[in-house]
Amino acid sequence: MRRPGAQRLVSEAFPAPAVLGTDLIGVPEGAEVRLDLSLESVQEGIWVSGTVNGTAIGECGRCLDEVRQEIAAPVQGLFEYPDSRAAGEEEGSEDVFEFDGENLELEEVVRDAVVTSLPFTPLCDPDCPGLCDQCGARLADDPDHAHEVLDPRWAALQSFTDEKES
Ligand SMILES: [Zn+2]
Ligand SMILES: [Zn+2]
């Protein structure tokens, strides 16, 4: 620390402290998340880069089936010392985080990396046909699924013949 050039490699697996993801898909709280990071001391703070691995679970946006997706997302961010932040020109930059000089709060940078790697609309299959708009059946399970649609005019005729027969 405070020695530019010093580097440390960290490989660690831990349970997700909270859901990492969006409302639709994410790594559930408590599920294993693996970090393989390089922590490099630079002038302004600590430069963190590497990957986060985990399994996101969500719901298909069309048929609501469970969707599982392996994540291998690139992580990078600069954890700046508070004093260098005050003088920093990069204020407001996305990948810059505050560093109190003792603990790297990795949750935010990891969360950002995971969220960025997740699909906006998760799908169980890119060709998922979704649900029947009449009865809600999952069309992928039953490709020939169809409802007999009676034209209202035919329906009227039908009731006419029914009456005649009775
Ligand atoms: Zn689906
Ligand atoms: Zn149906």
Side-chain angles (χ1 to χ4, degrees), residues 118-138:
L118 291 170
F120 191 64
T121 305
L123 295 175
C124 63
D125 184 287
D127 297 323
C128 174
L131 300 176
C132 171
D133 57 7
Q134 294 197 48
C135 71
R138 189 169 174 262

Side-chain angles (χ1 to χ4, degrees), residues 2-163:
R2 298 268 175 179
R3 278 187 303 124
Q7 196 188 26
R8 220 179 102 198
L9 297 174
V10 178
S11 282
E12 225 174 301
F14 61 92
V19 177
L20 300 174
T22 65
D23 288 346
L24 298 171
I25 186 167
V27 179
E29 183 177 343
E32 190 180 88
V33 173
R34 183 169 187 86
L35 292 178
D36 291 290
L37 298 178
S38 140
L39 313 179
E40 197 184 337
S41 181
V42 294
Q43 203 64 47
E44 305 88 348
I46 308 282
W47 172 249
V48 175
S49 62
T51 32
V52 51
N53 287 274
T55 304
I57 298 178
E59 215 173 53
C60 174
R62 294 186 195 147
C63 74
L64 311 181
D65 243 31
E66 187 181 271
V67 175
R68 279 174 173 267
Q69 186 172 329
E70 295 302 320
I71 300 171
V75 174
Q76 55 179 18
L78 176 64
F79 288 77
E80 273 189 326
Y81 299 123
D83 50 355
S84 79
R85 168 164 275 236
E89 312 108 49
E90 289 188 74
E91 186 122 13
S93 169
E94 269 184 44
D95 298 334
V96 178
F97 304 87
E98 224 169 303
F99 179 40
D100 62 8
E102 290 193 20
N103 298 304
L104 286 174
E105 296 289 343
L106 292 170
E107 188 176 333
E108 194 182 342
V109 70
V110 168
R111 178 189 305 279
D112 287 355
V114 170
V115 169
T116 308
S117 76
L118 291 170
F120 191 64
T121 305
L123 295 175
C124 63
D125 184 287
D127 297 323
C128 174
L131 300 176
C132 171
D133 57 7
Q134 294 197 48
C135 71
R138 189 169 174 262
L139 297 177
D141 297 334
D142 186 4
D144 299 324
H145 185 89
H147 292 265
E148 231 174 292
V149 183
L150 280 181
D151 186 297
R153 285 165 298 178
W154 285 110
L157 197 59
Q158 185 79 45
S159 62
F160 177 72
T161 41
D162 284 351
E163 265 171 40

